Each structure stands twice: as structure tokens, then as C-alpha cells.
Amino acid sequence: MMEKETCVEQLISYLLDVLPEYRAEAEAVPMDAPARRYLLRCLMNVWNPRRKLPEAYFALEQQLLSVETREKEPVDVLALPEKEPGIALFQGDITRLSADAIVNAANSQMLGCFVPGHGCIDNAIHSAAGLRLRAACYELMKAQGHEEATGQAKITPGFALPARYVMHTVGPIVRDRVTEKHRQQLRSCYRSCLELARKHQLRSIAFCCISTGVFHFPRREAAEIAVNEVQEYQKKHGDAPRVIFNVFQDEDRDIYEDILG
Ligand code: AR6
């Protein structure tokens, strides 16, 4: 592969060809490697899938992202110790997980996060998987013809991620207090993903803490619902996949440690 920095510059240049409105801003970004890499991420985040990129962009992006994926040291989820039969816990970045599927906390547009450099999981997953993920989501959503309902899930390849698939699910948005409907919708997110996993005969699935960030579902209650739904499902289906609860923050780790004993 060409030098990483050259690769980043080439990818920025491809993106600016289809996003000329960002050219002036991009030119003002200093030439140091971390700033240029961040610029690339931001341009990827704002890319509209109707602006056609050349195949060469996707090929080069795949090269860069797969090197970065290796550098982040993928974690084999089947090697994680189990908290109870069929359930493991992992604290850290979900884009490191080498699982059959990781679960993304999406929104109803289901095209990933368009806010440049945003810290949500949707942004992290799309940025690490590459723009073929947004293109794949765009095709699915175009075929569907309407926004994704809360509690449903869709599956795409993982592209440059170490995970084979990504499941995209839309959790409930909590405004002031949690209602029974919110609880049912959150249960449904977990169940829909587990159903998809079984349908695709997957052996492992890593869930993030759906809805507990931007969507404001209280963490403790969300974790109780998540664990309960997974346990019930695994009890009912002998061929249910191994589940990894992926926590990011210490507070969530403590909650899951407590619930899983
Ligand atoms: N790895 C694992 N977990 C993470 C990571 C990561 N790299 N980054 C964040 N988290 P959120 P939501 C955790 O807000 O509440 C997006 O903009 C984070 O600590 O990402 O379902 C979508 O486009 C939290 O526990 O998702 C939607 O518009 C969890 O991921 C909206 O946010 C979920 O936080 C969805 O909101």
C-alpha cells in the first residue's frame, strides 16, 4: 500500500471532487497527519450517497481502513470470558470487535451520522467501516421507501470492520420520562437483532447500549431490559447466538457487572 498520508490526501481529493462546497474549509486545515486524517473522517461523515464516488475511492479507502483496523488490534469475542453461559461483557470501542455481528444504534434515516466527527456510536461504526456502509444502507432504505420504524433492525456487511455484519436498529427516543411504549420498543430492538442473527446462523453478536446516549434512555433500566430480553431469548432458542454486551463508559460497565453478577 502507498504511504498512509498519501492515501489520506488522495481520499480527501476524491471526496472534495464530489463535495466542492467544502473545498475552502478543507484547504484551511493544517497539513499535519492527525488533522488531515480527521478532515477525511469529517468529509466521509457529510458525504451524500447520491454524489457518485469513483470505484477507485472505495478500493483505496478499503486499503487504508483495513490497515487501521489491524492497528486497533481486533478482539476475538469468542475468546472473551463468559459472565454466564452464552453472555460476555466487553468494555471499549465496538469497532474493535471481531464478531459475526455488531449492533449499531442508528436513527430512523439509517444512513449513519452526518455530524462531522460526532462522538456517537453510529459515527464511530460508519467511519471505521467506510462509505460502502452508507452506500449499502442507502440502497436498503431506497428499496424500503420509508424511514425505519423504532424497534426494527436491518443487516449489512461490516466492510472494513473486523465484524462480518452490522445490524442497524433504531432505539426509542426518551424525552422526559420512560413510558411502557419505550420499554417495549427497546425490547423489540434486542429481539429483532437476535432474530436476524438466528436467521443468518450467526454465532456471536455484540450489542451496544442502545438508546442510552443521544436518545436518553436511563442506563440502568436500559441494561435491565437488554439482559432480560437476551436471557429470555437464549432460554427459548437453543441455537441463539453468543451475546456480548459492549459497554463504553465505566458507569455502564458497573451496571452490567452488577446485573450479570
Ligand atoms: N463503542 C462502543 N460504544 C460506544 C461507542 C463506541 N465507539 N461510542 C459511543 N458508545 P449513542 P443512541 C456508546 O448516543 O442513544 C446517533 O447520532 C455510548 O456510550 O451513540 O441510541 C444516531 O445517529 C452509549 O452508551 O446512541 C442517532 O441519531 C451508546 O453507545 C442517535 O445517536 C449509545 O449512544 C442514537 O442515540
Side-chain angles (χ1 to χ4, degrees), residues 92-94 105 107 120-122 124 209 211-215 246 248-249:
D93 181 4
I94 202 164
N107 60 50
C120 68
I121 197 166
D122 201 9
C209 305
S211 276
T212 63
V214 177
F215 284 177
N246 170 221
F248 201 52
Q249 296 168 30

Side-chain angles (χ1 to χ4, degrees), residues 189-252:
C189 287
Y190 285 89
R191 204 167 41 245
S192 301
C193 292
L194 290 163
E195 289 289 349
L196 267 181
R198 221 157 54 90
K199 190 170 146 203
H200 290 262
Q201 298 179 314
L202 305 188
R203 287 171 63 212
S204 60
I205 176 170
F207 283 104
C208 65
C209 305
I210 303 164
S211 276
T212 63
V214 177
F215 284 177
H216 290 118
F217 203 110
R219 299 161 180 289
R220 174 94 207 180
E221 194 174 356
E224 280 164 2
I225 288 172
V227 172
N228 182 264
E229 192 58 37
V230 164
Q231 287 171 335
E232 292 289 306
Y233 195 88
Q234 287 178 332
K235 221 182 290 165
K236 225 182 285 166
H237 304 279
D239 58 346
R242 183 176 212 230
V243 168
I244 298 88
F245 288 112
N246 170 221
V247 293
F248 201 52
Q249 296 168 30
D250 292 352
E251 199 184 331
D252 286 316

Side-chain angles (χ1 to χ4, degrees), residues 99-171:
D100 282 344
I102 59 168
V103 175
N104 182 20
N107 60 50
S108 58
Q109 257 199 307
M110 223 173 240
L111 296 175
C113 170
F114 284 83
V115 181
H118 192 233
C120 68
I121 197 166
D122 201 9
N123 195 301
I125 290 176
H126 276 266
S127 298
L131 292 183
R132 288 183 301 161
L133 181 58
R134 178 166 284 171
C137 289
Y138 177 71
E139 291 307 320
L140 283 179
M141 296 312 284
K142 203 165 68 174
Q144 171 161 290
H146 59 81
E147 291 200 337
E148 185 72 354
T150 306
Q152 308 287 300
K154 290 209 177 345
I155 187 165
T156 64
F159 298 104
L161 290 166
R164 267 170 66 203
Y165 296 100
V166 179
M167 289 185 193
H168 309 260
T169 189
V170 187

